[in-house]
Amino acid sequence: MLNLELKLNPKIFEEVEQKPIRDGYGDALIEAGEKNHNIVVLTADLAESTRAHKFAARFPERFIECGVSEQNMAGIAAGLAVSGKISFISSYATFSPGKNWETIRTTIIYNNANVKIAGHHSGIVTGPDGATHQATEDIAIMRCLPNVRVISPCDYWEAKKATLYSVEEYGPFYLRYVRDKTPVITTEETPFRFGKIEKFWISKNENAEIAIMATGHLVYQALLAAKELEEEGIDVYVLNVHTIKPLDEEKILEVANKVKGIVTLEDHQINGGMGSAIAEVIVQKSENKPKMIFLGLQNTFGESGKPDELIKKYGMDKEAVKNAVKKLLTF
Amino acid sequence: MINSLDENKLKFLEEKANEIRRLIIETLVEAGSGHSAGPLGMADIFSALYFHILKFDPRNPFWDERDRLVLSNGHICPVQYVTMALAGYFSIEELKTLRKINTRLQGHPHRAVLPGIENTSGPLGEGISQAIGMAIAAKLDKKDYHIYCITSDGEHQEGNTWEAYMFLGKNQLDNLTIIIDRNYIQIDGITENVMPLEPLKQKLESFGLHVLEVDGHNIRAFIDAINEARSEWKRTSVIIAYTIPGKGVSFMEKKFEWHGKPPDKEEAKKALDELRTLGGKIESEHQ
Ligand SMILES: Cc1ncc(C[n+]2csc(CCOP(=O)(O)OP(=O)(O)O)c2C)c(N)n1
Ligand SMILES: [Mg+2]
């Protein structure tokens, strides 16, 4: 059942409200910009679709339009940051941190500059634009770097809180946002605890055999699966992994020692993503070694299509989750 | 050299351009997302390329001797898909699959699924480098096909574009012609407000390139420019083609707001009406 202690959206299984995760970014920038005059926002010809345009209208003197030049934008952000500013760079994740990855690695991350990298249009749910615009490797290329925090929020509210949190802590952050409207899973009251994995779906007697660990908008698919499995008499946990780096090892080990199987779910390549990160912890540190099934892109690129068609075709929807849970139960 | 252009052929190309524009509108409405302004602005040039300039065989898209058309600004692919369909690469019917699941007509062109597409694109600034690679390969293989690369003005803000030009300044590949869609718009506004490119011609010349300027809606002038480019054998030619984004649909013309959205049904009807009245006559506003 839904973990009510976390004040999740009670209407999640009814007509759930839909709101774009990227709006959480845009709204947080305005709020943060109001309070903190050191915040500067940069874009590379994508002000509106990254939702930086509202900040641009409100604080034009602290908004920097770089034109289509992602490497340049990363370097400028680093220069600003080592001079006392807090820089947010806004583009599509395939281009930033995709195209400008090495500039980010050196000038922002190795350099320990206070830059927040906002990667938009993440995941296959970017839809009709096709694979060139769907960031499906960004978690992997960012989490492999030392000295960076990686957050993949599950909905609008979490995106807003994560963005605001990133201002509070000095240093490089990678924040992952989604284009389309997605279900609002949490509420304004839900606590955001950086670095913590939270149980969104709990088992009645705390004795579920399978845990589903999901990140980003797919947490919703995991919850739908959990509800339908419950109706079939199958108990699971659903854990929301918003912070992918640093990973909540304690929680992972606690769960791994209790269950016989773990399903990981991410709108990203399974190679090097959140599932891999969790497996690294379990393989190295867990007494119990539950079997794992990784759901996400199975070593293939995405394609054009509607978001719901795509998550179905590529095995990231609730049906895929249910099947994976059942398969793990047979081991 | 390209065949000379008689009045009948010119008329044919102008009418084709109008057909391309109408199909772009129909295709975009059906897709429900995609780019309008850039594709409409490049319809005349695509008509000239596919129906007069390029050497290709739609039934044998991998023909070794074919000319290569590298589209660097992949988001304007609706104009290329439509023109390819009219040229016989695939059926007009298939245009309805644009941007839909399981389609060969990906939102941004993908070489691996659609024969006739020479390069996967969408991320900006990557086309000229690939065209250089193709031009060098042609020289190594002693082939005489030509490589044309279409690139947008917005892409000229990417460092990669200038890295490629610098390479050309040194290596001067005469089997490569670059065509810039100079329409003065990008996503966030007018190029000269977002990040000025002017004086573009002088910048390119200072890199050692042979630069020509042409009205991108004047098909005859464009073909003349291609001929002039191809008769220059010491330097790589760059043709700055001045175009009007949204050309042919009055409410889209020169509006950056139409960069990345499709018309709705109502707007499409208006656009198609206008284009039908226009017939093959695109008046040249740059002259
Ligand atoms: C590397 C990269 N950065 C950003 C984008 C997003 N983008 C797509 S089109 C575009 C505007 C480019 O201007 P231009 O090609 O001149 O646009 P048009 O004239 O067709 O409207 C941008 C920034 C991209 N596709 N690739
Ligand atoms: Mg342009």
Side-chain angles (χ1 to χ4, degrees), chain B residues 153-154 183 185:
Chain B
D153 46 8
N183 66 5
I185 66 157

Side-chain angles (χ1 to χ4, degrees), chain A residues 9-261:
Chain A
N9 180 359
K11 293 211 180 118
I12 202 167
F13 299 117
E14 296 155 42
E15 262 184 40
V16 63
E17 185 196 359
Q18 308 255 348
K19 220 171 164 178
I21 285 179
R22 61 175 164 168
D23 285 9
Y25 176 65
D27 293 350
L29 286 184
I30 298 268
E31 219 175 285
E34 204 77 68
K35 278 193 239 149
N36 189 326
H37 295 267
N38 279 324
I39 290 176
V40 286
V41 176
L42 298 87
T43 193
D45 197 23
L46 287 169
E48 185 178 341
S49 61
T50 64
R51 295 296 186 259
H53 66 307
K54 293 186 198 165
F55 184 96
R58 186 86 145 258
F59 310 107
E61 70 293 347
R62 286 191 273 141
F63 174 75
I64 301 171
E65 171 67 76
C66 300
V68 198
S69 68
E70 294 79 10
Q71 291 184 61
N72 188 35
M73 173 172 70
I76 293 172
L80 284 158
V82 298
S83 314
K85 302 298 168 198
I86 304 170
S87 315
F88 280 85
I89 57 176
S90 323
S91 182
Y92 297 162
T94 45
F95 314 136
S96 175
K99 207 188 223 341
N100 58 6
W101 184 81
E102 189 279 331
T103 307
I104 287 176
R105 177 180 185 265
T106 305
T107 70
I108 296 175
I109 304 203
Y110 190 29
N111 205 21
N112 196 27
N114 199 9
V115 179
K116 321 300 173 186
I117 302 149
H120 287 265
H121 285 39
S122 73
I124 201 166
V125 292
T126 301
D129 274 340
T132 53
H133 286 53
Q134 299 162 349
T136 49
E137 298 78 26
D138 54 319
I139 294 174
I141 64 171
M142 291 313 288
R143 81 167 186 90
C144 68
L145 294 167
N147 190 38
V148 62
R149 298 125 191 100
V150 177
I151 310 184
S152 158
C154 71
D155 70 356
Y156 166 84
W157 286 115
E158 203 166 272
K160 187 171 174 196
K161 290 170 204 166
T163 309
L164 289 171
Y165 177 80
S166 75
V167 178
E168 304 305 316
E169 190 173 321
Y170 182 92
F173 272 71
Y174 175 59
L175 299 144
R176 184 176 211 243
Y177 303 99
V178 176
R179 174 202 152 117
D180 266 31
K181 286 182 178 173
T182 56
V184 178
I185 303 169
T186 63
T187 61
E188 197 169 0
E189 286 72 44
T190 305
F192 175 76
R193 289 187 273 259
F194 174 75
K196 296 285 176 221
I197 294 176
E198 311 262 15
K199 255 187 211 160
F200 274 16
W201 186 268
I202 49 181
S203 128
K204 263 173 244 140
N205 308 313
E206 280 292 293
N207 61 355
E209 285 185 293
I210 309 292
I212 305 163
M213 297 191 169
T215 191
H217 67 95
L218 290 177
V219 169
Y220 181 68
Q221 296 298 320
L223 290 170
L224 289 180
K227 173 140 192 299
E228 291 180 17
L229 287 166
E230 181 181 59
E231 283 156 15
E232 293 178 37
I234 299 170
D235 235 5
V236 297
Y237 302 110
V238 174
L239 295 109
N240 173 34
V241 186
H242 52 57
T243 307
I244 294 172
K245 188 173 188 135
L247 205 48
D248 186 352
E249 294 193 357
E250 208 178 309
K251 180 63 101 191
I252 290 169
L253 294 175
E254 178 197 314
V255 172
N257 281 320
K258 273 203 300 217
V259 298
K260 85 182 232 191

Side-chain angles (χ1 to χ4, degrees), chain A residues 45 70 95, chain B residues 75 122 124 152-154 158 183 185-187 259:
Chain A
D45 197 23
E70 294 79 10
F95 314 136
Chain B
H75 64 275
L124 298 167
S152 68
D153 46 8
E158 284 286 359
N183 66 5
I185 66 157
Q186 57 187 107
I187 293 182
H259 157 87

Side-chain angles (χ1 to χ4, degrees), chain B residues 4-11 13-14 48 214-215 217-227 287:
Chain B
S4 68
L5 188 69
D6 63 31
E7 280 309 309
N8 283 338
K9 184 68 193 281
L10 179 62
K11 195 155 178 284
L13 293 176
E14 285 173 350
V214 71
D215 173 354
H217 304 300
N218 184 334
I219 291 180
R220 182 181 290 286
F222 177 72
I223 291 171
D224 287 347
I226 291 281
N227 268 323
Q287 289 184 331

Side-chain angles (χ1 to χ4, degrees), chain B residues 21-127:
Chain B
R21 288 191 166 89
R22 279 179 285 152
L23 271 173
I24 288 172
I25 297 291
E26 286 167 8
T27 303
L28 284 172
V29 188
E30 174 65 32
S33 67
H35 300 75
S36 300
L40 288 169
M42 287 296 281
D44 303 298
I45 285 176
F46 270 80
S47 174
L49 282 169
Y50 275 86
F51 296 103
H52 196 73
I53 297 166
L54 292 176
K55 194 170 65 178
F56 65 91
D57 176 3
R59 281 150 313 190
N60 185 10
F62 299 109
W63 177 41
D64 239 14
E65 310 298 323
R66 73 188 184 280
D67 288 336
R68 274 39 169 194
L69 178 64
V70 175
L71 180 67
S72 184
N73 48 332
H75 64 275
I76 72 161
C77 61
V79 67
Q80 186 171 19
Y81 291 152
V82 161
T83 313
M84 285 173 73
L86 289 171
Y89 278 93
F90 48 84
S91 73
I92 301 283
E93 192 62 23
E94 191 168 347
L95 291 171
K96 292 190 181 144
T97 69
L98 174 65
R99 291 180 157 253
K100 294 182 182 164
I101 198 160
N102 299 324
T103 184
R104 299 196 297 170
L105 311 186
Q106 290 292 301
H108 292 81
H110 186 29
R111 176 177 181 271
V113 294
L114 189 64
I117 294 291
E118 303 288 357
N119 61 304
T120 294
S121 62
L124 298 167
E126 297 170 359

